[in-house]
Amino acid sequence: MQQELQQLWEDAEQELAQVAEPKALEIFRIKYLGKKGAVAGLFARMGGLSAEERPAFGQAVNDLRARLEEALALRKQAVAEQSESALPTGYDPSLPGYKPWFGRRHVLSSVLQEIVEIFRGMGFSVAEGPEVELDYFNFQALNFPDDHPSRDLQDTFYIEKDVLLRTHTSPVQIRYMEKHPPPVRIVVPGRVYRNEAIDASHAAEFHQVEGLYVDEGVTMGDLTVTLRHFAKEFFGSGTELRFRPHFFPFTEPSAEADMTCFACAGSGCRICGNTGWIEIMGAGMVHPNVFKSAGYDPEKVTGFAFGMGIERIAMLRHGIKDIRLFLENDLRFLSQF
Ligand code: PHE
């Protein structure tokens, strides 16, 4: 008899050690301590025992019940603590682990950060402006004529008559100068929007970094030196820049900057269309009318501005062939950087 009780205890103990969740605890309780459980079954057998056997047996079963109850209570506590520490049930510490998934910076963010760091090193600080912009800042104050083609619905996303999604980061030039007296030395990263037919090299939303440097006596020479330094830092010390005359309403003179082709180092190849040069940004000397809109005196200060597309710079840097990849969030693409 004693042996039977001992066996039952050992079985129960072993079983309890496997129990790891509240449901299993309840199943265990019903099996051993429930109304039709093992302990109840033992008590039921008392009737068949002799008067001498009965007290000792009763005592032993009572003991067993007390031990089971205590063990169950302890286990309950342990299970509760375990679920608090959020260990998954059925956790097996001997299994090989999962490789943790590391997030990383988006390739555009790291390219942007590198660009900003280079200009920070030359004393520029970072400014920002809104993506939903007034026609005034995006066009008017930047000396765009009323009938300028980029004001067309085909190029610009309008929200209302005078409210639009900014088509470039240049409006921040005005916003910044309105609030800060010269000198100014800022770079302005941000998202811009154009109503483009989307293909491998055109997206309807992309990013730019604007630059603005205003002080007394700033010259075109300052512009070229600054941008050449940037190009060498970012693309490598062998990189040269050339400036082609261009037109922007808000700069005069205006230029487009080309850099020596990274693929052929200037000798001519398919990537640069055999010219040896690749266009990387627009730039120019701030137009006097822009200073006037912002409340600066063009007789006192001069300045230069530039704007580059971050996607374009990232594509050149990493040999990315399709601008749409930046927006698709495909981890096979993103995890390469
Ligand atoms: N805002 C111009 C563009 O989006 C770029 C630019 C900025 C040109 C500053 C000159 C000066 O094309």
Side-chain angles (χ1 to χ4, degrees):
M1 191 62 81
Q2 281 300 336
Q3 216 176 357
E4 193 190 338
L5 294 190
Q6 182 58 27
Q7 188 61 49
L8 189 84
W9 165 248
E10 277 168 20
D11 290 349
E13 220 184 5
Q14 227 176 51
E15 207 177 311
L16 194 59
Q18 308 290 322
V19 168
E21 51 177 61
K23 229 196 322 199
L25 281 168
E26 184 57 9
I27 290 169
F28 178 90
R29 190 193 65 76
I30 292 166
K31 178 170 174 187
Y32 288 97
L33 297 164
K35 262 195 224 136
K36 292 181 181 152
V39 170
L42 290 170
F43 279 125
R45 273 158 51 188
M46 295 253 287
L49 295 177
S50 66
E52 299 89 70
E53 283 171 319
R54 231 176 269 165
F57 181 79
Q59 183 65 50
V61 177
N62 270 330
D63 279 356
L64 177 66
R65 182 174 59 188
R67 278 155 74 199
L68 282 170
E69 277 167 353
E70 195 187 321
L72 180 65
L74 278 173
R75 189 73 201 147
K76 233 180 208 161
Q77 204 181 338
V79 167
E81 272 164 18
Q82 212 172 55
S83 69
E84 261 167 39
S85 69
L87 272 181
T89 56
Y91 175 70
D92 179 351
S94 68
L95 283 173
Y98 291 105
K99 206 170 162 202
W101 180 260
F102 284 107
R104 64 185 79 208
R105 231 180 256 281
H106 191 281
V107 53
L108 285 179
S109 301
S110 39
V111 164
L112 170 63
Q113 199 187 356
E114 255 187 80
I115 296 172
V116 166
E117 281 315 311
I118 293 169
F119 283 102
R120 241 196 253 280
M122 292 189 272
F124 285 74
S125 53
V126 174
E128 286 184 334
E131 290 173 27
V132 175
E133 186 54 284
L134 295 173
D135 178 279
Y136 174 76
F137 290 109
N138 197 83
F139 291 128
Q140 211 177 310
L142 287 168
N143 198 36
F144 277 78
D146 279 341
D147 59 354
H148 192 277
S150 65
R151 289 187 166 208
D152 199 301
L153 266 174
Q154 280 190 347
D155 296 302
T156 303
F157 289 115
Y158 282 90
I159 291 169
E160 289 166 23
K161 186 173 165 293
D162 291 319
V163 184
L164 44 78
L165 296 179
R166 66 178 177 191
T167 59
H168 51 179
T169 40
S170 302
V172 187
Q173 291 188 25
I174 306 292
R175 285 185 175 274
Y176 191 87
M177 288 192 281
E178 278 187 349
K179 295 223 172 72
H180 303 84
V184 169
R185 218 183 289 184
I186 52 165
V187 281
V188 182
R191 186 172 295 163
V192 302
Y193 301 84
R194 286 189 200 168
N195 199 350
E196 297 266 14
I198 292 162
D199 63 26
S201 46
H202 296 89
E205 54 180 298
F206 56 99
H207 300 78
Q208 287 186 332
V209 182
E210 187 85 7
L212 178 65
Y213 188 135
V214 182
D215 203 345
E216 287 174 24
V218 176
T219 67
M220 193 91 185
D222 297 318
L223 183 163
T224 57
V225 141
T226 304
L227 295 181
R228 286 202 162 101
H229 175 73
F230 162 74
K232 285 180 193 296
E233 287 283 306
F234 190 84
F235 288 105
S237 55
T239 312
E240 301 295 338
L241 285 190
R242 73 171 183 187
F243 293 86
R244 269 182 296 107
H246 197 74
F247 174 79
F248 297 106
F250 39 93
T251 47
E252 182 58 36
S254 303
E256 269 185 341
D258 299 337
M259 68 166 190
T260 37
C261 177
F262 59 91
C264 63
S267 61
C269 67
R270 281 219 341 256
I271 292 178
C272 56
N274 271 317
T275 62
W277 297 97
I278 293 182
E279 181 214 319
I280 60 164
M281 65 178 109
M285 301 304 290
V286 179
H287 196 291
N289 287 348
V290 170
F291 282 141
K292 282 183 204 153
S293 321
Y296 279 19
D297 182 353
E299 296 299 326
K300 283 215 177 103
V301 293
T302 52
F304 67 76
F306 59 88
M308 58 184 120
I310 304 177
E311 280 81 355
R312 182 167 173 79
I313 300 279
M315 287 166 86
L316 293 173
R317 171 70 166 278
H318 294 293
I320 297 163
K321 302 247 157 30
D322 193 323
I323 195 169
R324 289 168 288 197
L325 288 165
F326 292 113
L327 285 169
E328 280 169 359
N329 289 334
D330 185 335
L331 291 175
R332 291 170 302 178
F333 169 71
L334 294 176
S335 63
Q336 294 176 57
F337 305 100

PDB file of all heavy atoms in Angstrom, residues 142 144 167-171 173 192 194 206 208-211 246-248 250-251 254-256 281-285 304-308, ligand 1:
ATOM      1  N   LEU A 142      10.839  82.917 -55.677  1.00  0.00           N
ATOM      2  CA  LEU A 142      12.064  82.431 -56.311  1.00  0.00           C
ATOM      3  C   LEU A 142      12.184  82.934 -57.753  1.00  0.00           C
ATOM      4  O   LEU A 142      12.939  82.392 -58.557  1.00  0.00           O
ATOM      5  CB  LEU A 142      12.122  80.898 -56.284  1.00  0.00           C
ATOM      6  CG  LEU A 142      12.407  80.285 -54.899  1.00  0.00           C
ATOM      7  CD1 LEU A 142      12.151  78.783 -54.925  1.00  0.00           C
ATOM      8  CD2 LEU A 142      13.844  80.559 -54.458  1.00  0.00           C
ATOM      9  N   PHE A 144      10.140  82.924 -60.257  1.00  0.00           N
ATOM     10  CA  PHE A 144       9.530  82.210 -61.392  1.00  0.00           C
ATOM     11  C   PHE A 144       8.482  83.126 -62.018  1.00  0.00           C
ATOM     12  O   PHE A 144       7.616  83.644 -61.301  1.00  0.00           O
ATOM     13  CB  PHE A 144       8.799  80.946 -60.909  1.00  0.00           C
ATOM     14  CG  PHE A 144       9.686  79.744 -60.721  1.00  0.00           C
ATOM     15  CD1 PHE A 144      10.490  79.624 -59.587  1.00  0.00           C
ATOM     16  CD2 PHE A 144       9.703  78.724 -61.661  1.00  0.00           C
ATOM     17  CE1 PHE A 144      11.278  78.509 -59.399  1.00  0.00           C
ATOM     18  CE2 PHE A 144      10.499  77.607 -61.474  1.00  0.00           C
ATOM     19  CZ  PHE A 144      11.290  77.499 -60.338  1.00  0.00           C
ATOM     20  N   THR A 167       8.120  71.336 -55.344  1.00  0.00           N
ATOM     21  CA  THR A 167       8.761  70.644 -56.463  1.00  0.00           C
ATOM     22  C   THR A 167      10.278  70.632 -56.323  1.00  0.00           C
ATOM     23  O   THR A 167      10.973  70.001 -57.089  1.00  0.00           O
ATOM     24  CB  THR A 167       8.408  71.328 -57.794  1.00  0.00           C
ATOM     25  OG1 THR A 167       8.849  72.689 -57.734  1.00  0.00           O
ATOM     26  CG2 THR A 167       6.905  71.299 -58.037  1.00  0.00           C
ATOM     27  N   HIS A 168      10.781  71.367 -55.340  1.00  0.00           N
ATOM     28  CA  HIS A 168      12.217  71.383 -55.059  1.00  0.00           C
ATOM     29  C   HIS A 168      12.414  71.892 -53.621  1.00  0.00           C
ATOM     30  O   HIS A 168      11.453  72.305 -52.962  1.00  0.00           O
ATOM     31  CB  HIS A 168      12.996  72.239 -56.072  1.00  0.00           C
ATOM     32  CG  HIS A 168      12.472  73.626 -56.294  1.00  0.00           C
ATOM     33  ND1 HIS A 168      13.060  74.521 -57.136  1.00  0.00           N
ATOM     34  CD2 HIS A 168      11.408  74.295 -55.753  1.00  0.00           C
ATOM     35  CE1 HIS A 168      12.404  75.671 -57.129  1.00  0.00           C
ATOM     36  NE2 HIS A 168      11.394  75.550 -56.293  1.00  0.00           N
ATOM     37  N   THR A 169      13.644  71.826 -53.130  1.00  0.00           N
ATOM     38  CA  THR A 169      13.888  72.286 -51.762  1.00  0.00           C
ATOM     39  C   THR A 169      14.233  73.777 -51.729  1.00  0.00           C
ATOM     40  O   THR A 169      14.415  74.356 -50.657  1.00  0.00           O
ATOM     41  CB  THR A 169      15.031  71.474 -51.102  1.00  0.00           C
ATOM     42  OG1 THR A 169      16.068  71.258 -52.075  1.00  0.00           O
ATOM     43  CG2 THR A 169      14.526  70.134 -50.600  1.00  0.00           C
ATOM     44  N   SER A 170      14.264  74.418 -52.898  1.00  0.00           N
ATOM     45  CA  SER A 170      14.630  75.836 -52.955  1.00  0.00           C
ATOM     46  C   SER A 170      13.724  76.774 -52.146  1.00  0.00           C
ATOM     47  O   SER A 170      14.215  77.799 -51.658  1.00  0.00           O
ATOM     48  CB  SER A 170      14.718  76.297 -54.415  1.00  0.00           C
ATOM     49  OG  SER A 170      15.662  75.515 -55.115  1.00  0.00           O
ATOM     50  N   PRO A 171      12.404  76.470 -51.974  1.00  0.00           N
ATOM     51  CA  PRO A 171      11.602  77.390 -51.151  1.00  0.00           C
ATOM     52  C   PRO A 171      12.172  77.602 -49.744  1.00  0.00           C
ATOM     53  O   PRO A 171      11.940  78.657 -49.138  1.00  0.00           O
ATOM     54  CB  PRO A 171      10.217  76.723 -51.091  1.00  0.00           C
ATOM     55  CG  PRO A 171      10.365  75.365 -51.674  1.00  0.00           C
ATOM     56  CD  PRO A 171      11.546  75.431 -52.590  1.00  0.00           C
ATOM     57  N   GLN A 173      15.138  78.227 -49.070  1.00  0.00           N
ATOM     58  CA  GLN A 173      16.027  79.397 -49.150  1.00  0.00           C
ATOM     59  C   GLN A 173      15.305  80.637 -48.631  1.00  0.00           C
ATOM     60  O   GLN A 173      15.817  81.363 -47.782  1.00  0.00           O
ATOM     61  CB  GLN A 173      16.442  79.671 -50.609  1.00  0.00           C
ATOM     62  CG  GLN A 173      17.357  78.645 -51.246  1.00  0.00           C
ATOM     63  CD  GLN A 173      17.853  79.138 -52.618  1.00  0.00           C
ATOM     64  OE1 GLN A 173      17.902  80.349 -52.878  1.00  0.00           O
ATOM     65  NE2 GLN A 173      18.202  78.208 -53.487  1.00  0.00           N
ATOM     66  N   VAL A 192      10.741  65.943 -52.220  1.00  0.00           N
ATOM     67  CA  VAL A 192      10.088  66.833 -53.180  1.00  0.00           C
ATOM     68  C   VAL A 192       9.219  65.997 -54.119  1.00  0.00           C
ATOM     69  O   VAL A 192       9.362  64.780 -54.176  1.00  0.00           O
ATOM     70  CB  VAL A 192      11.136  67.643 -53.985  1.00  0.00           C
ATOM     71  CG1 VAL A 192      12.022  68.451 -53.048  1.00  0.00           C
ATOM     72  CG2 VAL A 192      11.975  66.727 -54.863  1.00  0.00           C
ATOM     73  N   ARG A 194       7.126  65.699 -57.998  1.00  0.00           N
ATOM     74  CA  ARG A 194       6.858  66.205 -59.347  1.00  0.00           C
ATOM     75  C   ARG A 194       5.930  65.253 -60.058  1.00  0.00           C
ATOM     76  O   ARG A 194       6.041  64.037 -59.898  1.00  0.00           O
ATOM     77  CB  ARG A 194       8.162  66.360 -60.133  1.00  0.00           C
ATOM     78  CG  ARG A 194       8.934  67.560 -59.638  1.00  0.00           C
ATOM     79  CD  ARG A 194      10.106  67.915 -60.494  1.00  0.00           C
ATOM     80  NE  ARG A 194      11.013  68.740 -59.678  1.00  0.00           N
ATOM     81  CZ  ARG A 194      12.243  69.043 -60.014  1.00  0.00           C
ATOM     82  NH1 ARG A 194      12.735  68.615 -61.148  1.00  0.00           N
ATOM     83  NH2 ARG A 194      12.985  69.794 -59.214  1.00  0.00           N
ATOM     84  N   PHE A 206      10.848  62.263 -54.718  1.00  0.00           N
ATOM     85  CA  PHE A 206      12.266  61.955 -54.534  1.00  0.00           C
ATOM     86  C   PHE A 206      12.845  62.967 -53.555  1.00  0.00           C
ATOM     87  O   PHE A 206      12.090  63.706 -52.908  1.00  0.00           O
ATOM     88  CB  PHE A 206      12.999  61.934 -55.883  1.00  0.00           C
ATOM     89  CG  PHE A 206      12.875  63.186 -56.706  1.00  0.00           C
ATOM     90  CD1 PHE A 206      13.896  64.131 -56.712  1.00  0.00           C
ATOM     91  CD2 PHE A 206      11.747  63.429 -57.473  1.00  0.00           C
ATOM     92  CE1 PHE A 206      13.793  65.294 -57.471  1.00  0.00           C
ATOM     93  CE2 PHE A 206      11.631  64.592 -58.236  1.00  0.00           C
ATOM     94  CZ  PHE A 206      12.653  65.522 -58.231  1.00  0.00           C
ATOM     95  N   GLN A 208      15.969  65.843 -52.330  1.00  0.00           N
ATOM     96  CA  GLN A 208      17.018  66.767 -52.744  1.00  0.00           C
ATOM     97  C   GLN A 208      17.788  67.258 -51.530  1.00  0.00           C
ATOM     98  O   GLN A 208      17.281  67.206 -50.402  1.00  0.00           O
ATOM     99  CB  GLN A 208      16.417  67.997 -53.432  1.00  0.00           C
ATOM    100  CG  GLN A 208      15.870  67.735 -54.825  1.00  0.00           C
ATOM    101  CD  GLN A 208      15.423  69.024 -55.513  1.00  0.00           C
ATOM    102  OE1 GLN A 208      15.035  69.993 -54.860  1.00  0.00           O
ATOM    103  NE2 GLN A 208      15.479  69.039 -56.832  1.00  0.00           N
ATOM    104  N   VAL A 209      19.016  67.717 -51.793  1.00  0.00           N
ATOM    105  CA  VAL A 209      19.705  68.522 -50.792  1.00  0.00           C
ATOM    106  C   VAL A 209      19.969  69.868 -51.442  1.00  0.00           C
ATOM    107  O   VAL A 209      20.554  69.949 -52.519  1.00  0.00           O
ATOM    108  CB  VAL A 209      21.058  67.918 -50.357  1.00  0.00           C
ATOM    109  CG1 VAL A 209      21.691  68.794 -49.284  1.00  0.00           C
ATOM    110  CG2 VAL A 209      20.878  66.527 -49.830  1.00  0.00           C
ATOM    111  N   GLU A 210      19.479  70.894 -50.799  1.00  0.00           N
ATOM    112  CA  GLU A 210      19.683  72.257 -51.260  1.00  0.00           C
ATOM    113  C   GLU A 210      20.873  72.816 -50.491  1.00  0.00           C
ATOM    114  O   GLU A 210      21.097  72.437 -49.337  1.00  0.00           O
ATOM    115  CB  GLU A 210      18.425  73.069 -50.891  1.00  0.00           C
ATOM    116  CG  GLU A 210      18.389  74.469 -51.425  1.00  0.00           C
ATOM    117  CD  GLU A 210      17.833  74.485 -52.851  1.00  0.00           C
ATOM    118  OE1 GLU A 210      17.369  73.417 -53.309  1.00  0.00           O
ATOM    119  OE2 GLU A 210      17.864  75.535 -53.481  1.00  0.00           O
ATOM    120  N   GLY A 211      21.613  73.715 -51.095  1.00  0.00           N
ATOM    121  CA  GLY A 211      22.649  74.420 -50.349  1.00  0.00           C
ATOM    122  C   GLY A 211      22.490  75.906 -50.567  1.00  0.00           C
ATOM    123  O   GLY A 211      22.084  76.343 -51.652  1.00  0.00           O
ATOM    124  N   HIS A 246      23.558  77.234 -67.600  1.00  0.00           N
ATOM    125  CA  HIS A 246      22.213  76.679 -67.579  1.00  0.00           C
ATOM    126  C   HIS A 246      21.267  77.805 -67.213  1.00  0.00           C
ATOM    127  O   HIS A 246      21.689  78.957 -67.102  1.00  0.00           O
ATOM    128  CB  HIS A 246      22.172  75.537 -66.548  1.00  0.00           C
ATOM    129  CG  HIS A 246      20.989  74.643 -66.714  1.00  0.00           C
ATOM    130  ND1 HIS A 246      20.889  73.738 -67.735  1.00  0.00           N
ATOM    131  CD2 HIS A 246      19.850  74.492 -65.977  1.00  0.00           C
ATOM    132  CE1 HIS A 246      19.739  73.070 -67.618  1.00  0.00           C
ATOM    133  NE2 HIS A 246      19.094  73.522 -66.558  1.00  0.00           N
ATOM    134  N   PHE A 247      19.998  77.470 -67.041  1.00  0.00           N
ATOM    135  CA  PHE A 247      19.077  78.519 -66.579  1.00  0.00           C
ATOM    136  C   PHE A 247      18.231  78.038 -65.409  1.00  0.00           C
ATOM    137  O   PHE A 247      17.649  76.956 -65.449  1.00  0.00           O
ATOM    138  CB  PHE A 247      18.140  78.974 -67.708  1.00  0.00           C
ATOM    139  CG  PHE A 247      17.103  79.944 -67.217  1.00  0.00           C
ATOM    140  CD1 PHE A 247      17.420  81.286 -67.017  1.00  0.00           C
ATOM    141  CD2 PHE A 247      15.825  79.506 -66.859  1.00  0.00           C
ATOM    142  CE1 PHE A 247      16.479  82.175 -66.514  1.00  0.00           C
ATOM    143  CE2 PHE A 247      14.878  80.397 -66.356  1.00  0.00           C
ATOM    144  CZ  PHE A 247      15.215  81.728 -66.188  1.00  0.00           C
ATOM    145  N   PHE A 248      18.210  78.797 -64.339  1.00  0.00           N
ATOM    146  CA  PHE A 248      17.213  78.663 -63.280  1.00  0.00           C
ATOM    147  C   PHE A 248      16.709  80.074 -62.997  1.00  0.00           C
ATOM    148  O   PHE A 248      17.510  81.018 -63.014  1.00  0.00           O
ATOM    149  CB  PHE A 248      17.814  78.080 -61.993  1.00  0.00           C
ATOM    150  CG  PHE A 248      18.352  76.684 -62.152  1.00  0.00           C
ATOM    151  CD1 PHE A 248      19.732  76.459 -62.185  1.00  0.00           C
ATOM    152  CD2 PHE A 248      17.506  75.585 -62.260  1.00  0.00           C
ATOM    153  CE1 PHE A 248      20.247  75.172 -62.331  1.00  0.00           C
ATOM    154  CE2 PHE A 248      18.008  74.305 -62.410  1.00  0.00           C
ATOM    155  CZ  PHE A 248      19.380  74.096 -62.441  1.00  0.00           C
ATOM    156  N   PHE A 250      15.965  81.424 -60.287  1.00  0.00           N
ATOM    157  CA  PHE A 250      16.381  81.962 -58.981  1.00  0.00           C
ATOM    158  C   PHE A 250      17.884  82.095 -58.844  1.00  0.00           C
ATOM    159  O   PHE A 250      18.383  82.445 -57.772  1.00  0.00           O
ATOM    160  CB  PHE A 250      15.817  81.079 -57.863  1.00  0.00           C
ATOM    161  CG  PHE A 250      15.855  79.611 -58.184  1.00  0.00           C
ATOM    162  CD1 PHE A 250      16.932  78.835 -57.798  1.00  0.00           C
ATOM    163  CD2 PHE A 250      14.819  79.022 -58.899  1.00  0.00           C
ATOM    164  CE1 PHE A 250      16.969  77.485 -58.120  1.00  0.00           C
ATOM    165  CE2 PHE A 250      14.854  77.672 -59.227  1.00  0.00           C
ATOM    166  CZ  PHE A 250      15.923  76.904 -58.838  1.00  0.00           C
ATOM    167  N   THR A 251      18.639  81.789 -59.906  1.00  0.00           N
ATOM    168  CA  THR A 251      20.087  82.027 -59.865  1.00  0.00           C
ATOM    169  C   THR A 251      20.516  82.723 -61.157  1.00  0.00           C
ATOM    170  O   THR A 251      19.922  82.514 -62.216  1.00  0.00           O
ATOM    171  CB  THR A 251      20.879  80.705 -59.716  1.00  0.00           C
ATOM    172  OG1 THR A 251      20.369  79.743 -60.637  1.00  0.00           O
ATOM    173  CG2 THR A 251      20.792  80.160 -58.304  1.00  0.00           C
ATOM    174  N   SER A 254      23.539  80.821 -63.837  1.00  0.00           N
ATOM    175  CA  SER A 254      23.198  79.468 -63.397  1.00  0.00           C
ATOM    176  C   SER A 254      24.084  78.461 -64.119  1.00  0.00           C
ATOM    177  O   SER A 254      24.578  78.735 -65.213  1.00  0.00           O
ATOM    178  CB  SER A 254      21.743  79.140 -63.732  1.00  0.00           C
ATOM    179  OG  SER A 254      20.873  80.083 -63.152  1.00  0.00           O
ATOM    180  N   ALA A 255      24.246  77.328 -63.499  1.00  0.00           N
ATOM    181  CA  ALA A 255      25.082  76.295 -64.112  1.00  0.00           C
ATOM    182  C   ALA A 255      24.559  74.914 -63.738  1.00  0.00           C
ATOM    183  O   ALA A 255      23.846  74.762 -62.744  1.00  0.00           O
ATOM    184  CB  ALA A 255      26.527  76.438 -63.625  1.00  0.00           C
ATOM    185  N   GLU A 256      24.906  73.961 -64.572  1.00  0.00           N
ATOM    186  CA  GLU A 256      24.766  72.577 -64.148  1.00  0.00           C
ATOM    187  C   GLU A 256      26.163  72.034 -63.956  1.00  0.00           C
ATOM    188  O   GLU A 256      27.065  72.335 -64.741  1.00  0.00           O
ATOM    189  CB  GLU A 256      23.995  71.756 -65.190  1.00  0.00           C
ATOM    190  CG  GLU A 256      22.506  71.762 -64.883  1.00  0.00           C
ATOM    191  CD  GLU A 256      21.684  70.867 -65.796  1.00  0.00           C
ATOM    192  OE1 GLU A 256      22.160  70.502 -66.876  1.00  0.00           O
ATOM    193  OE2 GLU A 256      20.554  70.548 -65.396  1.00  0.00           O
ATOM    194  N   MET A 281      24.285  68.076 -60.475  1.00  0.00           N
ATOM    195  CA  MET A 281      23.455  69.051 -59.751  1.00  0.00           C
ATOM    196  C   MET A 281      23.293  70.376 -60.494  1.00  0.00           C
ATOM    197  O   MET A 281      23.994  70.642 -61.473  1.00  0.00           O
ATOM    198  CB  MET A 281      24.030  69.326 -58.371  1.00  0.00           C
ATOM    199  CG  MET A 281      25.389  69.989 -58.370  1.00  0.00           C
ATOM    200  SD  MET A 281      25.916  70.321 -56.687  1.00  0.00           S
ATOM    201  CE  MET A 281      27.212  69.114 -56.505  1.00  0.00           C
ATOM    202  N   GLY A 282      22.331  71.162 -60.002  1.00  0.00           N
ATOM    203  CA  GLY A 282      22.149  72.512 -60.495  1.00  0.00           C
ATOM    204  C   GLY A 282      22.708  73.483 -59.473  1.00  0.00           C
ATOM    205  O   GLY A 282      22.721  73.204 -58.275  1.00  0.00           O
ATOM    206  N   ALA A 283      23.185  74.634 -59.958  1.00  0.00           N
ATOM    207  CA  ALA A 283      23.784  75.594 -59.031  1.00  0.00           C
ATOM    208  C   ALA A 283      23.771  76.980 -59.658  1.00  0.00           C
ATOM    209  O   ALA A 283      23.425  77.145 -60.831  1.00  0.00           O
ATOM    210  CB  ALA A 283      25.219  75.171 -58.708  1.00  0.00           C
ATOM    211  N   GLY A 284      24.142  77.961 -58.884  1.00  0.00           N
ATOM    212  CA  GLY A 284      24.250  79.300 -59.441  1.00  0.00           C
ATOM    213  C   GLY A 284      24.378  80.349 -58.342  1.00  0.00           C
ATOM    214  O   GLY A 284      24.335  80.035 -57.152  1.00  0.00           O
ATOM    215  N   MET A 285      24.540  81.590 -58.795  1.00  0.00           N
ATOM    216  CA  MET A 285      24.607  82.714 -57.860  1.00  0.00           C
ATOM    217  C   MET A 285      23.183  83.205 -57.598  1.00  0.00           C
ATOM    218  O   MET A 285      22.411  83.406 -58.539  1.00  0.00           O
ATOM    219  CB  MET A 285      25.458  83.849 -58.448  1.00  0.00           C
ATOM    220  CG  MET A 285      26.897  83.454 -58.771  1.00  0.00           C
ATOM    221  SD  MET A 285      27.785  82.759 -57.345  1.00  0.00           S
ATOM    222  CE  MET A 285      27.960  84.217 -56.314  1.00  0.00           C
ATOM    223  N   PHE A 304      25.678  81.911 -53.202  1.00  0.00           N
ATOM    224  CA  PHE A 304      25.450  80.859 -54.198  1.00  0.00           C
ATOM    225  C   PHE A 304      24.492  79.829 -53.619  1.00  0.00           C
ATOM    226  O   PHE A 304      24.314  79.736 -52.396  1.00  0.00           O
ATOM    227  CB  PHE A 304      26.766  80.207 -54.673  1.00  0.00           C
ATOM    228  CG  PHE A 304      27.518  79.400 -53.638  1.00  0.00           C
ATOM    229  CD1 PHE A 304      27.093  78.119 -53.267  1.00  0.00           C
ATOM    230  CD2 PHE A 304      28.684  79.898 -53.065  1.00  0.00           C
ATOM    231  CE1 PHE A 304      27.803  77.371 -52.351  1.00  0.00           C
ATOM    232  CE2 PHE A 304      29.402  79.155 -52.135  1.00  0.00           C
ATOM    233  CZ  PHE A 304      28.961  77.889 -51.771  1.00  0.00           C
ATOM    234  N   ALA A 305      23.853  79.103 -54.540  1.00  0.00           N
ATOM    235  CA  ALA A 305      22.924  78.045 -54.137  1.00  0.00           C
ATOM    236  C   ALA A 305      23.161  76.843 -55.041  1.00  0.00           C
ATOM    237  O   ALA A 305      23.699  76.988 -56.152  1.00  0.00           O
ATOM    238  CB  ALA A 305      21.483  78.518 -54.254  1.00  0.00           C
ATOM    239  N   PHE A 306      22.832  75.698 -54.531  1.00  0.00           N
ATOM    240  CA  PHE A 306      22.918  74.499 -55.378  1.00  0.00           C
ATOM    241  C   PHE A 306      21.839  73.531 -54.928  1.00  0.00           C
ATOM    242  O   PHE A 306      21.296  73.651 -53.820  1.00  0.00           O
ATOM    243  CB  PHE A 306      24.304  73.850 -55.288  1.00  0.00           C
ATOM    244  CG  PHE A 306      24.698  73.437 -53.893  1.00  0.00           C
ATOM    245  CD1 PHE A 306      24.352  72.183 -53.388  1.00  0.00           C
ATOM    246  CD2 PHE A 306      25.414  74.307 -53.068  1.00  0.00           C
ATOM    247  CE1 PHE A 306      24.709  71.815 -52.098  1.00  0.00           C
ATOM    248  CE2 PHE A 306      25.785  73.939 -51.778  1.00  0.00           C
ATOM    249  CZ  PHE A 306      25.430  72.687 -51.291  1.00  0.00           C
ATOM    250  N   GLY A 307      21.511  72.601 -55.802  1.00  0.00           N
ATOM    251  CA  GLY A 307      20.525  71.590 -55.434  1.00  0.00           C
ATOM    252  C   GLY A 307      20.850  70.293 -56.152  1.00  0.00           C
ATOM    253  O   GLY A 307      21.148  70.295 -57.346  1.00  0.00           O
ATOM    254  N   MET A 308      20.860  69.202 -55.371  1.00  0.00           N
ATOM    255  CA  MET A 308      21.134  67.916 -56.027  1.00  0.00           C
ATOM    256  C   MET A 308      20.098  66.881 -55.601  1.00  0.00           C
ATOM    257  O   MET A 308      19.540  66.961 -54.508  1.00  0.00           O
ATOM    258  CB  MET A 308      22.548  67.444 -55.697  1.00  0.00           C
ATOM    259  CG  MET A 308      22.840  67.277 -54.221  1.00  0.00           C
ATOM    260  SD  MET A 308      24.574  66.824 -53.993  1.00  0.00           S
ATOM    261  CE  MET A 308      25.161  68.187 -52.990  1.00  0.00           C
TER     262      MET A 308
HETATM  263  N1  PHE B   1      15.939  73.752 -57.455  1.00  0.00           N
HETATM  264  C1  PHE B   1      16.672  73.302 -58.615  1.00  0.00           C
HETATM  265  C2  PHE B   1      16.001  72.026 -59.143  1.00  0.00           C
HETATM  266  O1  PHE B   1      15.223  71.427 -58.469  1.00  0.00           O
HETATM  267  C3  PHE B   1      18.111  73.006 -58.293  1.00  0.00           C
HETATM  268  C4  PHE B   1      18.887  74.228 -57.921  1.00  0.00           C
HETATM  269  C5  PHE B   1      18.970  74.626 -56.611  1.00  0.00           C
HETATM  270  C6  PHE B   1      19.500  74.983 -58.907  1.00  0.00           C
HETATM  271  C7  PHE B   1      19.693  75.759 -56.257  1.00  0.00           C
HETATM  272  C8  PHE B   1      20.227  76.085 -58.568  1.00  0.00           C
HETATM  273  C9  PHE B   1      20.314  76.469 -57.262  1.00  0.00           C
HETATM  274  O2  PHE B   1      16.254  71.620 -60.271  1.00  0.00           O
END
